[in-house]
Short mmCIF file of all heavy atoms in Angstrom, two decimals:
data_model
loop_
_atom_site.label_atom_id
_atom_site.label_comp_id
_atom_site.label_asym_id
_atom_site.label_seq_id
_atom_site.Cartn_x
_atom_site.Cartn_y
_atom_site.Cartn_z
N ALA A 36 94.28 0.06 -58.50
CA ALA A 36 93.83 -1.33 -58.56
C ALA A 36 92.37 -1.45 -58.12
O ALA A 36 91.60 -2.24 -58.71
CB ALA A 36 94.72 -2.20 -57.68
N GLN A 37 91.96 -0.69 -57.12
CA GLN A 37 90.56 -0.70 -56.69
C GLN A 37 89.64 -0.22 -57.80
O GLN A 37 88.55 -0.77 -58.01
CB GLN A 37 90.38 0.18 -55.46
CG GLN A 37 90.86 -0.44 -54.16
CD GLN A 37 90.63 0.48 -52.97
OE1 GLN A 37 91.40 1.40 -52.73
NE2 GLN A 37 89.58 0.23 -52.24
N GLU A 38 90.07 0.80 -58.52
CA GLU A 38 89.26 1.31 -59.62
C GLU A 38 89.09 0.26 -60.71
O GLU A 38 87.99 0.09 -61.26
CB GLU A 38 89.92 2.56 -60.21
CG GLU A 38 89.92 3.77 -59.28
CD GLU A 38 90.70 4.94 -59.86
OE1 GLU A 38 91.28 4.77 -60.95
OE2 GLU A 38 90.72 6.01 -59.22
N ARG A 39 90.16 -0.48 -61.01
CA ARG A 39 90.07 -1.51 -62.04
C ARG A 39 89.14 -2.65 -61.61
O ARG A 39 88.38 -3.19 -62.42
CB ARG A 39 91.45 -2.06 -62.36
CG ARG A 39 92.42 -1.03 -62.93
CD ARG A 39 93.71 -1.68 -63.37
NE ARG A 39 93.52 -2.49 -64.58
CZ ARG A 39 94.43 -3.33 -65.05
NH1 ARG A 39 95.58 -3.50 -64.41
NH2 ARG A 39 94.19 -4.01 -66.16
N VAL A 40 89.19 -3.01 -60.33
CA VAL A 40 88.28 -4.04 -59.82
C VAL A 40 86.83 -3.58 -59.93
O VAL A 40 85.95 -4.33 -60.37
CB VAL A 40 88.63 -4.40 -58.37
CG1 VAL A 40 87.55 -5.28 -57.76
CG2 VAL A 40 89.98 -5.10 -58.30
N ALA A 41 86.58 -2.33 -59.53
CA ALA A 41 85.21 -1.79 -59.60
C ALA A 41 84.71 -1.72 -61.03
O ALA A 41 83.50 -1.90 -61.28
CB ALA A 41 85.18 -0.41 -58.96
N GLN A 42 85.59 -1.48 -61.98
CA GLN A 42 85.19 -1.44 -63.39
C GLN A 42 84.93 -2.82 -63.97
O GLN A 42 84.08 -3.00 -64.83
CB GLN A 42 86.26 -0.72 -64.21
CG GLN A 42 86.39 0.76 -63.89
CD GLN A 42 87.66 1.37 -64.47
OE1 GLN A 42 88.46 0.68 -65.11
NE2 GLN A 42 87.86 2.66 -64.24
N ALA A 43 85.66 -3.83 -63.50
CA ALA A 43 85.55 -5.18 -64.07
C ALA A 43 84.40 -5.97 -63.49
O ALA A 43 83.81 -6.81 -64.18
CB ALA A 43 86.86 -5.94 -63.86
N ARG A 44 84.07 -5.75 -62.24
CA ARG A 44 83.05 -6.57 -61.58
C ARG A 44 81.68 -6.52 -62.27
O ARG A 44 81.06 -7.58 -62.47
CB ARG A 44 82.92 -6.15 -60.12
CG ARG A 44 83.95 -6.78 -59.20
CD ARG A 44 83.81 -6.25 -57.79
NE ARG A 44 84.75 -6.88 -56.87
CZ ARG A 44 84.97 -6.47 -55.63
NH1 ARG A 44 84.30 -5.40 -55.18
NH2 ARG A 44 85.84 -7.08 -54.85
N PRO A 45 81.15 -5.35 -62.63
CA PRO A 45 79.81 -5.34 -63.25
C PRO A 45 79.73 -6.19 -64.52
O PRO A 45 78.75 -6.91 -64.73
CB PRO A 45 79.57 -3.85 -63.54
CG PRO A 45 80.44 -3.13 -62.57
CD PRO A 45 81.65 -3.98 -62.42
N TYR A 46 80.75 -6.11 -65.37
CA TYR A 46 80.74 -6.91 -66.60
C TYR A 46 80.74 -8.40 -66.29
O TYR A 46 79.96 -9.18 -66.88
CB TYR A 46 81.95 -6.54 -67.46
CG TYR A 46 82.09 -7.38 -68.71
CD1 TYR A 46 81.32 -7.08 -69.84
CD2 TYR A 46 82.95 -8.46 -68.76
CE1 TYR A 46 81.44 -7.85 -71.00
CE2 TYR A 46 83.07 -9.23 -69.90
CZ TYR A 46 82.31 -8.92 -71.02
OH TYR A 46 82.42 -9.68 -72.15
N THR A 47 81.59 -8.81 -65.36
CA THR A 47 81.65 -10.22 -65.00
C THR A 47 80.34 -10.70 -64.40
O THR A 47 79.86 -11.80 -64.73
CB THR A 47 82.80 -10.44 -64.00
OG1 THR A 47 84.02 -9.97 -64.57
CG2 THR A 47 82.94 -11.91 -63.65
N GLU A 48 79.73 -9.89 -63.55
CA GLU A 48 78.46 -10.28 -62.95
C GLU A 48 77.35 -10.38 -63.99
O GLU A 48 76.53 -11.31 -63.95
CB GLU A 48 78.08 -9.27 -61.86
CG GLU A 48 79.01 -9.31 -60.65
CD GLU A 48 78.77 -8.16 -59.69
OE1 GLU A 48 77.90 -7.30 -60.02
OE2 GLU A 48 79.44 -8.09 -58.65
N GLU A 49 77.33 -9.45 -64.94
CA GLU A 49 76.27 -9.47 -65.95
C GLU A 49 76.42 -10.64 -66.92
O GLU A 49 75.44 -11.29 -67.28
CB GLU A 49 76.27 -8.14 -66.72
CG GLU A 49 75.76 -6.95 -65.93
CD GLU A 49 74.32 -7.14 -65.47
OE1 GLU A 49 73.52 -7.73 -66.24
OE2 GLU A 49 73.99 -6.73 -64.34
N ILE A 50 77.65 -10.91 -67.35
CA ILE A 50 77.82 -12.02 -68.29
C ILE A 50 77.56 -13.36 -67.60
O ILE A 50 77.02 -14.29 -68.20
CB ILE A 50 79.23 -11.98 -68.94
CG1 ILE A 50 79.25 -12.90 -70.17
CG2 ILE A 50 80.32 -12.40 -67.94
CD1 ILE A 50 80.53 -12.76 -70.98
N THR A 51 77.88 -13.45 -66.31
CA THR A 51 77.56 -14.66 -65.56
C THR A 51 76.05 -14.82 -65.43
O THR A 51 75.51 -15.93 -65.60
CB THR A 51 78.21 -14.62 -64.17
OG1 THR A 51 79.63 -14.46 -64.32
CG2 THR A 51 77.93 -15.89 -63.39
N TYR A 174 92.49 -17.67 -55.79
CA TYR A 174 92.98 -16.30 -55.82
C TYR A 174 92.53 -15.59 -54.55
O TYR A 174 91.87 -16.19 -53.69
CB TYR A 174 92.47 -15.57 -57.07
CG TYR A 174 90.97 -15.46 -57.16
CD1 TYR A 174 90.30 -14.32 -56.74
CD2 TYR A 174 90.20 -16.51 -57.66
CE1 TYR A 174 88.92 -14.22 -56.82
CE2 TYR A 174 88.82 -16.43 -57.74
CZ TYR A 174 88.18 -15.27 -57.32
OH TYR A 174 86.82 -15.19 -57.39
N THR A 175 92.85 -14.31 -54.44
CA THR A 175 92.49 -13.54 -53.25
C THR A 175 91.35 -12.59 -53.59
O THR A 175 91.49 -11.73 -54.47
CB THR A 175 93.68 -12.75 -52.70
OG1 THR A 175 94.78 -13.64 -52.49
CG2 THR A 175 93.34 -12.08 -51.39
N ASP A 176 90.23 -12.77 -52.93
CA ASP A 176 89.06 -11.93 -53.15
C ASP A 176 89.24 -10.61 -52.41
O ASP A 176 89.43 -10.60 -51.19
CB ASP A 176 87.81 -12.67 -52.66
CG ASP A 176 86.54 -11.96 -53.06
OD1 ASP A 176 86.56 -11.17 -54.02
OD2 ASP A 176 85.50 -12.20 -52.41
N PHE A 177 89.16 -9.51 -53.14
CA PHE A 177 89.34 -8.18 -52.54
C PHE A 177 88.00 -7.71 -52.00
O PHE A 177 87.08 -7.38 -52.76
CB PHE A 177 89.88 -7.20 -53.59
CG PHE A 177 90.13 -5.82 -53.05
CD1 PHE A 177 91.29 -5.54 -52.34
CD2 PHE A 177 89.21 -4.80 -53.25
CE1 PHE A 177 91.53 -4.27 -51.84
CE2 PHE A 177 89.44 -3.54 -52.75
CZ PHE A 177 90.60 -3.27 -52.04
N ILE A 178 87.88 -7.67 -50.68
CA ILE A 178 86.65 -7.22 -50.03
C ILE A 178 86.72 -5.72 -49.76
O ILE A 178 85.80 -4.97 -50.09
CB ILE A 178 86.43 -8.00 -48.73
CG1 ILE A 178 86.34 -9.50 -49.03
CG2 ILE A 178 85.16 -7.53 -48.02
CD1 ILE A 178 86.33 -10.38 -47.81
N SER A 179 87.81 -5.29 -49.17
CA SER A 179 88.06 -3.88 -48.91
C SER A 179 89.54 -3.69 -48.72
O SER A 179 90.31 -4.66 -48.73
CB SER A 179 87.28 -3.40 -47.67
OG SER A 179 87.80 -4.02 -46.51
N SER A 182 90.49 -5.77 -45.77
CA SER A 182 90.05 -7.16 -45.68
C SER A 182 90.15 -7.85 -47.04
O SER A 182 89.58 -7.37 -48.03
CB SER A 182 88.60 -7.22 -45.17
OG SER A 182 88.13 -8.56 -45.14
N GLN A 183 90.90 -8.95 -47.09
CA GLN A 183 91.02 -9.78 -48.29
C GLN A 183 90.94 -11.24 -47.86
O GLN A 183 91.35 -11.59 -46.76
CB GLN A 183 92.34 -9.52 -49.04
CG GLN A 183 92.56 -8.08 -49.47
CD GLN A 183 93.18 -7.23 -48.37
OE1 GLN A 183 94.08 -7.68 -47.67
NE2 GLN A 183 92.69 -6.01 -48.20
N ALA A 229 86.46 -13.32 -68.59
CA ALA A 229 86.09 -12.29 -67.61
C ALA A 229 86.33 -12.77 -66.20
O ALA A 229 86.81 -12.02 -65.34
CB ALA A 229 84.61 -11.91 -67.81
N ARG A 230 86.00 -14.05 -65.92
CA ARG A 230 86.20 -14.57 -64.57
C ARG A 230 87.69 -14.61 -64.20
O ARG A 230 88.08 -14.23 -63.10
CB ARG A 230 85.60 -15.97 -64.45
CG ARG A 230 84.09 -16.02 -64.50
CD ARG A 230 83.44 -15.31 -63.33
NE ARG A 230 83.78 -15.90 -62.05
CZ ARG A 230 83.07 -16.85 -61.45
NH1 ARG A 230 81.97 -17.32 -62.03
NH2 ARG A 230 83.42 -17.32 -60.27
N PHE A 232 90.16 -12.82 -65.61
CA PHE A 232 90.71 -11.46 -65.56
C PHE A 232 90.29 -10.77 -64.26
O PHE A 232 91.10 -10.11 -63.61
CB PHE A 232 90.22 -10.67 -66.76
CG PHE A 232 90.79 -9.28 -66.84
CD1 PHE A 232 92.15 -9.06 -66.69
CD2 PHE A 232 89.97 -8.19 -67.07
CE1 PHE A 232 92.70 -7.77 -66.76
CE2 PHE A 232 90.50 -6.91 -67.15
CZ PHE A 232 91.86 -6.69 -66.99
N THR A 233 89.02 -10.93 -63.87
CA THR A 233 88.56 -10.32 -62.62
C THR A 233 89.30 -10.92 -61.43
O THR A 233 89.65 -10.20 -60.48
CB THR A 233 87.05 -10.50 -62.46
OG1 THR A 233 86.38 -9.92 -63.58
CG2 THR A 233 86.55 -9.85 -61.18
N ALA A 234 89.54 -12.23 -61.45
CA ALA A 234 90.29 -12.87 -60.36
C ALA A 234 91.70 -12.29 -60.26
O ALA A 234 92.22 -12.05 -59.17
CB ALA A 234 90.36 -14.38 -60.59
N LEU A 236 92.61 -9.25 -61.27
CA LEU A 236 92.51 -7.88 -60.77
C LEU A 236 92.25 -7.87 -59.26
O LEU A 236 92.81 -7.03 -58.53
CB LEU A 236 91.37 -7.15 -61.50
CG LEU A 236 91.59 -6.85 -62.98
CD1 LEU A 236 90.36 -6.16 -63.56
CD2 LEU A 236 92.83 -5.98 -63.20
N GLU A 237 91.38 -8.77 -58.81
CA GLU A 237 91.12 -8.87 -57.36
C GLU A 237 92.41 -9.20 -56.62
O GLU A 237 92.69 -8.62 -55.55
CB GLU A 237 90.07 -9.96 -57.10
CG GLU A 237 88.73 -9.71 -57.76
CD GLU A 237 87.69 -9.18 -56.81
OE1 GLU A 237 88.05 -8.89 -55.66
OE2 GLU A 237 86.53 -9.04 -57.23
N SER A 238 93.19 -10.11 -57.18
CA SER A 238 94.44 -10.51 -56.53
C SER A 238 95.44 -9.35 -56.52
O SER A 238 96.17 -9.16 -55.55
CB SER A 238 95.04 -11.72 -57.26
OG SER A 238 94.20 -12.85 -57.12
N ALA A 240 94.79 -6.08 -56.50
CA ALA A 240 94.38 -5.12 -55.47
C ALA A 240 94.67 -5.66 -54.07
O ALA A 240 95.13 -4.92 -53.19
CB ALA A 240 92.89 -4.81 -55.62
N SER A 241 94.43 -6.95 -53.88
CA SER A 241 94.71 -7.56 -52.57
C SER A 241 96.20 -7.54 -52.26
O SER A 241 96.61 -7.34 -51.11
CB SER A 241 94.18 -9.00 -52.55
OG SER A 241 92.79 -9.03 -52.76
#
Side-chain angles (χ1 to χ4, degrees):
Q37 283 181 279
E38 292 175 356
R39 298 187 71 191
V40 170
Q42 293 167 359
R44 277 177 177 169
Y46 176 80
T47 303
E48 293 170 357
E49 288 299 323
I50 195 171
T51 303
Y174 61 96
T175 306
D176 189 22
F177 181 80
I178 301 171
S179 67
S182 177
Q183 303 85 41
R230 291 296 298 269
F232 183 48
T233 302
L236 291 179
E237 299 259 6
S238 295
S241 300

